């Protein structure tokens, strides 16, 4: 008997029929003798629908003063899907109970809309498991020290599931989704993408942080910190397939490096459409310029990604960086109204439609020339590179958003990742 955590994403919970299928699958695992905890997302589209209602009432709902209520609102999506799953399980003859984050409780800090899990109390859940119940815990949410409901950021149910698995010292955390594993790149963009049987924790961390939304990055961080065995697999297989076969399907996230294994130089391509670029032009090139520009941006709670500073000419330099598209206007206004006049910059310009494409692979550590293969493949397609950023196991380029799909496909082919058919 093992303790297993299942997580089901929005599409997997997308209708009563799909919820019934999830219930049948979970019941199969429970009847095989496992203790089961299930973490569902809201039904697909529900979180967007709820947040859309908020912005109808307050078009500037992105303001931080609204964040507490946005969390209160968005958390209802997971509460509904969790209760529906408990009802479906009971209708299947399984004893089952659902809990909202605050009832467990899942304790978080107070950063509304992107809270971090601090601890999870396992007492209540263990009591239910010992009594033979399937326990359902809402994904995406928790409670802060003052008793407010918080949410964990978009895609946060992955993190809830892994954190619950870590707290319960579960034998495995299975992330069920609408694709049958982690692919070399998003299979919806590159049909030739291949499923990976295993992917190393480090590569998965890079892929997630560089935009592969198949797993929220914090879930991968949690899995690494607590060594939670984790697998990504499909919820769209027939629920009654052989359990042993199902348990081995999909993609396993591995923590041990197998030295004997020949590493692919590039194992995946990640991308992020939602970025924007801002350039502060003609700033006096004096010490403290980066802090002078990025300090106020950070104080405004705007995350900065790729940064470049040009060499100076006549004592002046240009400074560019990328932010999330959602923060673009706020960042631009702040720089134009406050930062540029204070620093004596000539001009602030921006482009809200850029994308970042990254190649990721542990094998890049021991291979030279990987970046130049990347740049050549992009130049052959006439894709202009605006910014470059590298680390030991990834190289990212910032390009015009309209060339994104072309770039991803070209790189997928250039690094020999296309499936052979
Ligand atoms: P869920 O609702 O189950 O959490 P998500 O939509 O958050 O599902 O994540 C699954 C989606 O991630 C897939 O449908 C796929 O389009 C996308 N995706 C992006 N990159 C990858 C990748 N490398 N491998 C698999 N899926 C990916
Ligand atoms: N429902 C939340 C979202 O849409 C969390 C999740 O699905 O993981 O972002
Ligand atoms: Mg997701």
């Amino acid at each position: 008997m093992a303790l297993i955590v299942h997580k089901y994403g929005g599409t997997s919970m997308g209708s009563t029929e799909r919820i019934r299928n999830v219930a049948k699958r979970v019941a199969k695992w429970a009847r095989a003798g496992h203790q089961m905890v299930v973490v569902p997302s809201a039904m697909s589209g529900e979180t967007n629908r709820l947040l859309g209602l908020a912005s109808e009432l307050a078009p500037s709902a992105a303001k931080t003063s609204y964040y507490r209520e946005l969390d209160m609102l968005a958390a209802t999506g997971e509460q509904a899907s969790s209760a529906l799953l408990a009802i479906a399980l009971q209708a299947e003859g399984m004893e089952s109970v659902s809990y909202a984050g605050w009832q467990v409780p899942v304790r978080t800090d107070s950063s509304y809309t992107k809270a971090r899990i601090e601890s999870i109390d396992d007492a209540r859940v263990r009591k239910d498991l010992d009594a033979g119940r399937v326990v359902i815990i809402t994904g995406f949410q928790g409670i802060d020290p003052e008793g407010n409901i918080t949410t964990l950021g978009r895609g946060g149910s992955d993190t809830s599931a892994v954190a619950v698995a870590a707290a319960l010292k579960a034998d495995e955390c299975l992330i069920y989704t609408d694709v049958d594993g982690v692919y070399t790149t998003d299979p919806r963009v590159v049909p030739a993408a291949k499923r990976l049987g295993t992917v190393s924790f480090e590569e998965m961390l890079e892929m997630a942080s560089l935009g592969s939304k198949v797993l929220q990055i914090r879930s991968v961080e949690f899995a690494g910190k607590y060594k939670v065995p984790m697998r990504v697999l499909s919820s769209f297989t027939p629920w009654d397939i052989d359990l042993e076969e199902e348990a081995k399907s999909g993609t396993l996230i591995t923590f041990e490096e197998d030295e004997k294994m020949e590493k692919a130089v590039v194992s995946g391509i990640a991308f992020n459409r939602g970025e924007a670029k801002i350039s502060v032009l003609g700033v006096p090139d004096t010490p403290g310029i980066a802090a002078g520009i990025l300090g106020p941006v950070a104080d405004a709670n705007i995350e900065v990604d790729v940064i470049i500073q040009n060499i100076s000419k006549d004592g002046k330099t240009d400074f560019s960086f990328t932010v999330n598209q959602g923060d673009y206007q706020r960042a631009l206004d702040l720089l134009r109204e406050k930062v540029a006049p204070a620093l004596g910059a000539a001009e602030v310009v921006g482009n809200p439609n850029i994308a970042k494409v990254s190649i990721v692979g542990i094998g890049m550590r021991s291979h030279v020339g990987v970046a130049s293969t990347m740049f050549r493949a992009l130049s052959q397609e006439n894709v202009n590179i605006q910014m470059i950023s590298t680390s030991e196991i990834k190289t990212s380029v910032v390009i015009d958003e309209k060339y994104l799909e072309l770039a991803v496909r070209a790189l997928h082919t250039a690094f020999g990742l296309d499936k052979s058919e």
Side-chain angles (χ1 to χ4, degrees):
M1 185 181 75
L3 198 167
I4 308 282
V5 175
H6 279 191
K7 181 260 171 177
Y8 290 90
T11 320
S12 312
M13 297 288 294
S15 63
T16 46
E17 196 188 326
R18 289 207 172 138
I19 292 176
R20 188 177 294 122
N21 254 291
V22 168
K24 287 183 190 292
R25 190 182 297 276
V26 171
K28 173 182 77 177
W29 281 76
R31 289 191 175 114
H34 299 304
Q35 290 191 312
M36 297 301 300
V37 177
V38 186
V39 177
S41 288
M43 295 170 78
S44 57
E46 180 63 3
T47 311
N48 286 345
R49 187 186 73 84
L50 292 166
L51 297 176
L53 293 176
S55 44
E56 271 179 39
L57 293 170
S60 56
K63 273 201 192 143
T64 48
S65 57
Y66 293 116
Y67 282 7
R68 181 188 180 279
E69 303 312 322
L70 291 181
D71 279 2
M72 187 70 185
L73 175 70
T76 62
E78 269 70 11
Q79 189 171 328
S81 62
S82 294
L84 288 170
L85 181 57
I87 290 166
L89 274 158
Q90 290 172 15
E92 288 297 318
M94 296 299 309
E95 266 203 68
S96 174
V97 58
S98 69
Y99 293 118
W102 64 269
Q103 292 174 303
V104 175
V106 175
R107 296 186 195 283
T108 71
D109 64 18
S110 302
S111 340
Y112 298 120
T113 75
K114 50 179 170 201
R116 281 183 174 270
I117 295 179
E118 290 180 339
S119 66
I120 296 181
D121 194 337
D122 65 345
R124 195 166 185 177
V125 177
R126 283 203 192 277
K127 234 190 214 164
D128 286 313
L129 290 173
D130 291 344
R133 292 182 198 113
V134 172
V135 180
I136 299 163
I137 301 176
T138 49
F140 186 49
Q141 59 176 267
I143 184 167
D144 82 351
E146 280 75 49
N148 300 297
I149 288 177
T150 52
T151 67
L152 310 180
R154 299 306 304 267
S157 299
D158 296 330
T159 303
S160 306
V162 180
V164 163
L168 293 169
K169 300 189 177 56
D171 294 281
E172 195 161 20
C173 181
L174 301 179
I175 307 283
Y176 286 86
T177 184
D178 56 5
V179 282
D180 63 353
V182 178
Y183 278 69
T184 45
T185 192
D186 189 338
R188 297 189 201 283
V189 171
V190 180
K194 278 185 293 204
R195 186 175 60 79
L196 301 164
T198 61
V199 63
S200 76
F201 155 72
E202 284 172 288
E203 285 168 325
M204 196 60 241
L205 200 60
E206 285 288 356
M207 301 247 292
S209 80
L210 296 168
S212 296
K213 71 161 185 170
V214 61
L215 287 177
Q216 197 202 35
I217 179 163
R218 286 196 190 153
S219 71
V220 189
E221 286 169 357
F222 251 101
K225 189 161 171 199
Y226 297 100
K227 297 285 173 296
V228 179
M230 182 178 183
R231 186 179 281 279
V232 177
L233 66 172
S234 172
S235 70
F236 289 165
T237 54
W239 68 267
D240 56 353
I241 60 168
D242 178 58
L243 191 144
E244 298 300 317
E245 192 189 316
E246 183 176 320
K248 289 200 204 90
S249 66
T251 302
L252 179 70
I253 318 294
T254 58
F255 298 102
E256 308 297 328
E257 270 196 46
D258 184 348
E259 293 302 332
K260 282 174 278 165
M261 222 162 66
E262 179 66 30
K263 304 251 163 32
V265 179
V266 170
S267 38
I269 297 172
F271 54 86
N272 190 8
R273 292 177 202 278
E275 298 206 18
K277 184 171 94 168
I278 297 184
S279 300
V280 186
L281 307 177
V283 237
D285 193 9
T286 52
I289 215 67
I293 294 173
L294 297 180
V297 173
D299 293 344
N301 211 5
I302 296 171
E303 259 175 61
V304 168
D305 188 15
V306 184
I307 305 170
I308 51 168
Q309 183 177 339
N310 282 356
I311 51 159
S312 67
K313 207 175 150 221
D314 307 327
K316 304 255 178 183
T317 187
D318 299 335
F319 194 93
S320 300
F321 57 93
T322 63
V323 296
N324 285 328
Q325 258 164 27
D327 290 329
Y328 174 69
Q329 200 53 50
R330 223 153 48 87
L332 203 63
D333 293 347
L334 172 76
L335 289 161
R336 283 192 176 148
E337 287 159 24
K338 303 228 168 79
V339 177
L343 297 176
E347 202 185 350
V348 182
V349 294
N351 179 352
N353 299 311
I354 54 147
K356 187 173 70 175
V357 186
S358 311
I359 55 174
V360 176
I362 286 188
M364 283 166 69
R365 278 188 188 137
S366 48
H367 284 75
V368 289
V370 182
S372 57
T373 304
M374 179 184 201
F375 304 150
R376 206 174 313 119
L378 293 172
S379 82
Q380 273 162 7
E381 298 294 339
N382 270 327
V383 176
N384 186 37
I385 298 171
Q386 303 184 17
M387 297 165 112
I388 301 171
S389 130
T390 62
S391 79
E392 223 189 356
I393 67 165
K394 70 114 205 264
T395 300
S396 304
V397 296
V398 170
I399 60 171
D400 196 316
E401 192 175 10
K402 66 174 180 275
Y403 299 122
L404 177 64
E405 299 195 356
L406 173 69
V408 175
R409 285 191 191 146
L411 293 172
H412 201 263
T413 306
F415 287 102
L417 298 173
D418 292 352
K419 66 180 164 209
S420 43
E421 265 174 340

